[in-house]
Amino acid sequence: MDKFIVNGGKKLKGTTQVSGSKNVALKALVAACLSSEKIVIDNIPLITDLFIMTDIIEELGGVVETKNHTITIQMKDFVKTKIGLETAAEVRTSAMFMAPLLARKGEAVIPNPGGCRIGARPIDRTIDGLTKMGVDVSYRSEDGYFYMKSPNGLRGVDYTFKKSTHTGTETLILAAVLAKGTTILRNAAEEPEVEELIELLKSMGAKIKKTGKVIEITGVETLHGGKLKVGADRNEIVTLAVAAIITKGDIFITDAGKSDLSSFIEKMKEIGAGVERKTDGIRFFYKGEIKASDIETSIYPGFMTDWQAPWAVLMTQAKGDSTIHERVYESRFSYVTQLRKMGAKIELYNLDVKNPERVYEFNIADDNKENKHAAKIIGPSHLHNAVVVMTDLRAGATLVLAALAAQGTSIILEVYHLDRGYEKFENRLNSLGADIIRTTDD
């Protein structure tokens, strides 16, 4: 496996750009399979998860052509309705293929989704919605597969999500565009990435209206070819922004101007970090000592759960005690053990929450006593070099940030986690003044 050797303590300065959104690109690949015609997706990130998804498409009978950062997909017809366990276990978005398979073939055999192990992350909300749309679902624990059939076709339904679900919302949208009748999704996710997926589907001939948390989809018989240019990855912007401040540097991100980062930028200004929005991008720069902060992760438009790990390492350099309350996933502090190796002072604990069912977005039944939902970060702390291990994608980016700020040479193992969502990230950082060497772990 590859590892990073990071020589820390260098200020990052300069101009850069970010890749297209991972969370849009992967879902767009699934949407492309709803049509028998060619779908073109521009500005895709060349990351491991994307290539796993294209492998699945080819396994199912699709043709994929990739040139630079543009991909063309044509699924004339599915040659099979079962997805192989080995490939699907590597990326969570693989489960979303259930929608085009059910819509076009009337059946789908989908393994329990993989990807980063961040809490339980069940797909029960998606399954419940599909059941209401006329899908018969059974799960066989002996082989880990969901067996799904829609004997009378998918039908429109008025469905309310009990709790917000980003992937669940998108999967039911994909299922509804070819269903009979009208589907209304209530309490639907509002993330900008959902809007981009809808934009692609509309270009393919789908009939979709979105008003806040309500999405109305009128089913059509077929979809035609379409096109989408994927917007900038908000998570990568946040990672670079933290890199600028934690190294006391100055970074301008050229294609970030239109990205919805309001809750993050509000917190950056609150702690005293430099932020300058321009029409062609955003500048993040160090202005002086940063202050401690308190955040709660939330669904859109709140502070994203994907941002809390990079924020935690930033708060190790703030003056005072900071807190993070994780409300989206029941277990998302795996990176803390690794940061402690580098000198971070972080205490995990649980809050006395009177109504956890309303406060937390995860299923309370999936929680256990070992999980901690809050962190206290005591700063500023002196980060030093260490040998650390990535445990998931966002935790991996967090360790890179810590190594950039630390004095001395750090070694980061299991870099493949980072490659799942960041395209050649060390090259981007090195162009800004970092000193990162990728090498193979013997």
Side-chain angles (χ1 to χ4, degrees):
M1 294 184 182
D2 285 359
K3 64 182 178 182
F4 281 165
I5 300 174
V6 184
N7 295 306
K10 303 181 185 299
K11 292 183 180 181
L12 299 193
K13 293 185 178 182
T15 299
T16 189
Q17 60 183 25
V18 297
S19 301
S21 170
K22 166 185 180 284
N23 288 333
V24 174
L26 300 189
K27 278 69 174 291
L29 296 182
V30 180
C33 296
L34 286 164
S35 172
S36 62
E37 299 182 15
K38 289 185 178 181
I39 308 297
V40 179
I41 307 167
D42 290 327
N43 196 35
I44 57 165
L46 301 179
I47 54 177
T48 304
D49 276 12
L50 183 129
F51 294 126
I52 294 171
M53 291 289 286
T54 58
D55 286 346
I56 293 173
I57 290 173
E58 291 177 332
E59 176 188 339
L60 293 173
V63 176
V64 180
E65 297 178 6
T66 305
K67 185 176 181 181
N68 297 323
H69 288 81
T70 296
I71 193 167
T72 302
I73 298 161
Q74 186 169 21
M75 182 65 78
K76 288 185 178 180
D77 193 17
F78 288 97
V79 298
K80 58 191 296 189
T81 57
K82 183 176 183 178
I83 295 179
L85 179 62
E86 186 174 343
T87 50
E90 296 184 57
V91 57
R92 184 169 179 77
T93 320
S94 61
M96 293 182 68
F97 283 107
M98 66 178 77
L101 282 169
L102 288 167
R104 293 182 62 185
K105 302 300 288 186
E107 64 179 49
V109 183
I110 305 291
N112 217 348
C116 284
R117 291 302 177 190
I118 308 169
R121 304 180 78 186
I123 59 172
D124 56 311
R125 301 169 199 175
T126 304
I127 297 299
D128 183 58
L130 288 173
T131 301
K132 300 295 193 298
M133 296 180 73
V135 180
D136 296 331
V137 183
S138 64
Y139 178 70
R140 300 179 187 175
S141 57
E142 61 269 21
D143 64 3
Y145 274 87
F146 289 93
Y147 291 80
M148 307 177 179
K149 288 189 177 182
S150 49
N152 299 312
L154 296 172
R155 62 173 182 266
V157 65
D158 192 324
Y159 183 75
T160 301
F161 290 102
K162 293 180 181 178
K163 291 189 177 185
S164 180
T165 165
H166 189 161
T167 302
T169 295
E170 292 171 322
T171 304
L172 291 193
I173 291 172
L174 295 176
V177 292
L178 291 177
K180 298 175 183 176
T182 298
T183 296
I184 299 176
L185 302 178
R186 305 182 191 275
N187 194 30
E190 294 187 274
E191 281 77 3
E193 291 80 7
V194 176
E195 300 277 3
E196 289 192 61
L197 180 64
I198 290 173
E199 180 185 342
L200 170 61
L201 291 168
K202 284 184 175 180
S203 79
M204 296 165 62
K207 296 181 179 179
I208 306 172
K209 295 179 181 179
K210 184 176 183 300
T211 306
K213 298 176 75 68
V214 178
I215 302 174
E216 182 177 323
I217 308 109
T218 302
V220 297
E221 290 190 10
T222 59
L223 295 173
H224 51 67
K227 189 173 183 177
L228 175 72
K229 181 177 180 180
V230 177
D233 193 305
R234 295 192 296 154
N235 294 325
E236 191 169 338
I237 295 170
V238 166
T239 305
L240 288 169
V242 172
I245 308 306
I246 204 168
T247 64
K248 300 181 180 180
D250 189 337
I251 296 176
F252 182 72
I253 307 171
T254 57
D255 52 356
K258 296 181 180 179
S259 300
D260 191 341
L261 299 162
S262 54
S263 59
F264 174 76
I265 289 176
E266 179 182 337
K267 281 295 179 182
M268 287 287 273
K269 291 179 177 179
E270 179 184 306
I271 66 172
V275 181
E276 184 181 357
R277 295 202 74 147
K278 298 182 179 180
T279 55
D280 59 341
I282 309 176
R283 177 190 174 206
F284 296 97
F285 57 99
Y286 183 77
K287 295 198 302 183
E289 184 178 71
I290 57 174
K291 297 180 291 185
S293 69
D294 300 315
I295 67 164
E296 290 187 348
T297 64
S298 181
I299 59 176
Y300 182 85
F303 196 96
M304 284 181 63
T305 178
D306 283 346
W307 301 342
Q308 65 101 324
W311 191 261
V313 73
L314 180 60
M315 288 301 96
T316 66
Q317 304 306 297
K319 184 178 181 180
D321 296 347
S322 301
T323 63
I324 295 175
H325 186 192
E326 174 58 52
R327 296 173 51 226
V328 178
Y329 291 118
E330 76 275 15
S331 177
R332 202 166 194 184
F333 287 111
S334 64
Y335 61 88
V336 168
T337 300
Q338 303 300 312
L339 287 184
R340 285 172 177 163
K341 291 180 183 180
M342 303 182 75
K345 299 175 183 177
I346 305 176
E347 301 171 1
L348 298 180
Y349 62 99
N350 277 327
L351 296 166
D352 182 15
V353 177
K354 294 183 179 179
N355 194 338
E357 188 66 42
R358 294 187 64 179
V359 171
Y360 294 113
E361 294 298 325
F362 55 80
N363 294 337
I364 300 302
D366 294 326
D367 199 14
N368 60 61
K369 294 180 180 179
E370 288 72 33
N371 291 332
K372 304 298 181 184
H373 307 136
K376 178 182 178 181
I377 304 147
I378 303 165
S381 59
H382 175 73
L383 296 180
H384 56 73
N385 60 321
V387 178
V388 292
V389 183
M390 293 187 182
T391 56
D392 63 65
L393 173 57
R394 304 305 166 193
T398 298
L399 295 183
V400 173
L401 292 170
L404 290 172
Q407 295 298 317
T409 300
S410 296
I411 298 175
I412 306 177
L413 306 178
E414 300 192 16
V415 172
Y416 71 89
H417 287 292
L418 189 73
D419 295 336
R420 292 187 52 238
Y422 293 84
E423 180 184 335
K424 298 179 180 178
F425 197 51
E426 73 276 17
N427 293 352
R428 195 183 314 281
L429 293 171
N430 285 341
S431 72
L432 295 167
D435 184 355
I436 305 174
I437 299 171
R438 179 189 286 258
T439 184
T440 300
D441 189 14
D442 297 328

